[in-house]
């Protein structure tokens, strides 16, 4: 069944990926109509998340943000599909890295954890590997359908990136460090961890919630640099990314410093333009609970 689904869907994705941009974003508009207007995909989840994190905004303001979010989300999915046929020259134009020299200066001496949030367009982050000198890895969550999982891995490998699963991240970093191999590891770090495994809780958008601190654990253990990738949407189909160093030496940081700085930078982006954050995930589902290890 997995193969059948892939065989049926893949040709459609390929045809869509090669459409001229006017038609391409026209398809995104149609997708928005069905996802939001017809099927109402996670509309309640999105509105609940917005109400929790922006209690001072009116219902009308929140509904406006929600509409803008769904339009952007459909664009994001389409742009991931566009990766199938997008050339290096075109992605460089549409995903403008404004200060690559800052990242290249760090990579000469340290391996880097390049962290970002589910904001704007994180899928095109892998194109940064066209501009760096060291090896580039993209940490991703494995997909249940093995054929689509391979498709995603191949997409991310098009631009000189080695995809690695979350499960394989730690051993890959340790192996490379032991061999003296400098690398950049890109990871999206704002997911909600399992409640039973949450070791770090913090205030995120005004709510006390469990936080992933895997990036900090790795950085402090192996003395890695940590850099925040601030991706901003300039206009439809165009983005820019700036690099904000959190630390150049993980071992020298105080406990929780890296995690808290990541949260602060992510919050700043969300509050500036909330419509570009991924609101469909139940990021605040454990808000108000007591940390399990405190019980």
């Amino acid at each position: 069944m997995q193969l059948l689904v892939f065989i049926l869907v893949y040709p459609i994705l390929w045809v869509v990926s090669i459409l001229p941009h006017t038609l391409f974003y026209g398809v995104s508009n149609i997708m928005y109509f069905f996802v939001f207007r017809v099927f109402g995909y996670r509309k309640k989840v999105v509105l609940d998340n917005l109400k929790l994190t922006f209690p001072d905004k009116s219902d009308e303001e929140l509904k406006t943000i929600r509409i803008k979010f769904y339009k952007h989300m459909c664009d994001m999915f389409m742009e991931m599909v566009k990766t199938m046929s997008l050339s290096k020259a075109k992605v460089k134009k549409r995903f403008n890295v404004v200060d690559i020299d800052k990242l290249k200066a760090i990579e000469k001496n340290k391996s880097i954890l390049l962290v970002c949030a589910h904001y704007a367009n994180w899928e095109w982050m892998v194109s940064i590997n066209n501009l760096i000198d060291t090896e580039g890895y993209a940490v991703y969550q494995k997909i249940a359908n093995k054929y689509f999982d391979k498709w995603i891995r191949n997409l991310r490998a098009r631009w000189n990136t080695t995809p690695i699963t979350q499960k394989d991240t730690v051993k890959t970093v340790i192996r490379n460090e032991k061999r003296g191999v400098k690398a950049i590891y890109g990871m999206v770090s704002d997911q909600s961890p399992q409640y039973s495994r949450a070791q770090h809780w913090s205030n995120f958008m005004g709510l006390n919630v469990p936080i992933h601190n895997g990036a900090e654990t790795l950085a402090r253990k192996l003395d890695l640099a940590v850099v925040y990738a601030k991706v901003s949407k300039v206009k439809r189909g165009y983005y820019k990314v700036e690099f904000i160093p959190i630390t150049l030496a993980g071992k020298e940081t105080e406990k929780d410093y890296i995690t808290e700085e990541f949260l602060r930078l992510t919050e700043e982006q969300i509050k500036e333009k909330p419509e570009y954050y991924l609101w469909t995930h139940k990021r605040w589902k454990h808000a108000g609970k007591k940390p399990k290890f405190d019980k």
Side-chain angles (χ1 to χ4, degrees):
M1 181 58 72
Q2 287 189 356
L3 179 58
L4 178 61
V5 172
F6 181 77
I7 290 173
L8 291 173
V9 173
Y10 181 83
I12 298 173
L13 296 177
W14 172 253
V15 170
V16 168
S17 79
I18 61 175
L19 289 174
H21 279 88
T22 302
L23 291 177
F24 178 80
Y25 284 107
V27 174
S28 182
N29 292 339
I30 295 170
M31 181 185 297
Y32 159 76
F33 175 79
F34 281 98
V35 170
F36 183 72
R37 301 292 181 186
V38 178
F39 300 112
Y41 172 69
R42 293 200 170 188
K43 285 174 72 172
K44 186 177 184 304
V45 171
V46 172
L47 192 57
D48 286 347
N49 282 339
L50 288 170
K51 285 180 177 179
L52 279 171
T53 53
F54 292 101
D56 295 333
K57 290 188 182 295
S58 68
D59 288 345
E60 287 304 310
E61 286 177 302
L62 296 178
K63 287 178 181 178
T64 298
I65 292 170
R66 184 174 65 169
I67 289 172
K68 290 180 179 179
F69 159 70
Y70 273 94
K71 290 179 178 179
H72 170 71
M73 183 184 72
C74 291
D75 281 359
M76 252 292 300
F77 174 78
M78 293 292 291
E79 286 161 359
M80 181 184 71
V81 174
K82 192 69 175 176
T83 308
M84 297 172 72
S85 59
L86 201 61
S87 68
K88 288 183 180 180
K90 286 184 178 179
V91 76
K92 186 176 180 180
K93 179 181 177 182
R94 290 180 169 272
F95 196 77
N96 180 28
V97 182
V98 299
D99 53 358
I100 191 63
D101 289 342
K102 186 183 294 185
L103 199 67
K104 294 180 81 167
I106 299 172
E107 71 174 341
K108 290 178 181 178
N109 303 307
K110 291 272 189 178
S111 287
I112 301 170
L113 295 183
L114 187 62
V115 294
C116 68
H118 285 96
Y119 189 89
N121 186 331
W122 59 91
E123 286 293 338
W124 285 355
M125 283 281 293
V126 292
S127 67
I128 292 171
N129 291 290
N130 293 324
L131 309 173
I132 61 175
D133 299 319
T134 52
E135 293 190 37
Y137 293 82
V139 181
Y140 81 105
Q141 190 168 356
K142 197 169 184 178
I143 298 173
N145 185 311
K146 64 181 182 181
Y147 300 101
F148 278 106
D149 184 72
K150 184 178 179 181
W151 173 63
I152 289 292
R153 284 189 283 111
N154 288 340
L155 275 185
R156 292 171 179 173
R158 284 190 70 231
W159 293 326
N160 304 318
T161 305
T162 302
I164 52 174
T165 62
Q166 292 176 333
K167 181 181 176 182
D168 292 333
T169 302
V170 175
K171 65 181 181 183
T172 301
V173 177
I174 291 175
R175 183 181 66 241
N176 284 342
E177 288 300 301
K178 285 182 177 179
R179 294 175 178 174
V181 176
K182 295 290 184 291
I184 295 180
Y185 307 90
M187 55 180 68
V188 185
S189 301
D190 60 332
Q191 303 96 325
S192 179
Q194 292 182 16
Y195 174 60
S196 60
R197 296 182 180 180
Q199 296 297 312
H200 181 74
W201 288 62
S202 186
N203 185 294
F204 182 43
M205 295 296 293
L207 297 158
N208 192 49
V209 291
I211 303 293
H212 266 301
N213 60 351
E216 173 170 312
T217 301
L218 264 177
R220 295 184 73 213
K221 181 178 181 179
L222 299 172
D223 198 27
L224 308 177
V226 183
V227 177
Y228 183 82
K230 182 181 179 181
V231 185
S232 305
K233 188 168 186 174
V234 179
K235 61 181 180 178
R236 196 175 201 183
Y238 290 85
Y239 302 86
K240 72 172 182 178
V241 58
E242 303 166 83
F243 301 116
I244 304 173
I246 292 177
T247 179
L248 300 182
K251 275 189 175 180
E252 297 177 9
T253 60
E254 295 291 330
K255 185 177 183 297
D256 299 332
Y257 171 78
I258 293 171
T259 302
E260 294 299 324
E261 276 298 290
F262 170 79
L263 290 178
R264 181 184 65 81
L265 291 165
T266 300
E267 273 197 18
E268 286 179 1
Q269 281 203 274
I270 295 173
K271 290 177 179 178
E272 185 179 353
K273 291 188 177 180
E275 60 267 31
Y276 299 143
Y277 190 63
L278 186 64
W279 295 104
T280 48
H281 283 189
K282 296 181 179 180
R283 181 64 189 84
W284 290 271
K285 61 186 175 184
H286 299 308
K289 294 181 181 178
K290 187 177 180 181
K292 192 175 182 67
F293 51 82
D294 283 350
K295 293 183 178 180

